[in-house]
Amino acid sequence: MIRRLLALAAAFPVIAAAQAAPQQPAPPPEVFIRSPADGATVPATFTVVFGLRNYGVAPAGVTGVPNAGHFHLIVDVAPPAVGQIIPKDSVNIHFGGGQIETKVTLKPGKHTLRAVLGDFEHRVTQKEFISKPITVIVK
């Protein structure tokens, strides 16, 4: 029996090598705003599309889904620190249903937007869950 297994392993060296290869660490998650583009001029009501790599989206309050969270849009204020719960108000907008895009209405002028991914309790659990800021000019 052992000779037969050794013969099979010799006949299929790629399979044997693949099974022995060490696991590569998963790439880090990345949260970003897909649209609008940084520096864009937008109408008072415009669409924001969230982006996410190497992680998943799940509605708020859902537990038992590993490596998933839900989006929040932070407007004109600093994002919460890692470990903090994201407040719910006019400048910290929650998308607990698992939405990946939304319509936003802002007053004319320059605004800074960030996407933040929160866990099932609306908590920021790592710095990679806070996007780089983008600026839009609302006409």
Side-chain angles (χ1 to χ4, degrees):
M1 178 72 158
I2 292 184
R3 284 186 192 177
R4 186 170 181 190
L5 289 174
L6 290 173
L8 281 173
F12 299 98
V14 173
I15 294 171
Q19 290 174 345
Q23 290 285 338
Q24 295 294 326
E30 181 185 1
V31 175
F32 54 97
I33 294 177
R34 285 184 172 277
S35 177
D38 187 24
T41 298
V42 296
T45 299
F46 60 98
T47 300
V48 174
V49 180
F50 301 111
L52 179 62
R53 288 188 186 100
N54 307 316
Y55 217 73
V57 175
V62 174
T63 59
V65 179
N67 302 318
H70 64 281
F71 287 106
H72 301 79
L73 182 64
I74 311 301
V75 181
D76 294 332
V77 296
V82 172
Q84 297 296 308
I85 291 178
I86 302 162
K88 187 174 186 178
D89 54 31
S90 64
V91 294
N92 295 280
I93 307 164
H94 289 233
F95 300 97
Q99 302 94 317
I100 58 171
E101 68 177 62
T102 188
K103 292 248 186 234
V104 176
T105 302
L106 297 175
K107 293 180 181 179
K110 185 177 180 179
H111 296 279
T112 301
L113 308 175
R114 283 185 191 257
V116 176
L117 198 72
D119 69 4
F120 68 98
E121 295 180 309
H122 307 281
R123 189 177 312 274
V124 181
T125 58
Q126 54 184 297
K127 65 181 170 87
E128 290 85 3
F129 292 159
I130 301 171
S131 76
K132 293 178 183 174
I134 69 160
T135 300
V136 295
I137 308 298
V138 176
K139 287 290 183 182

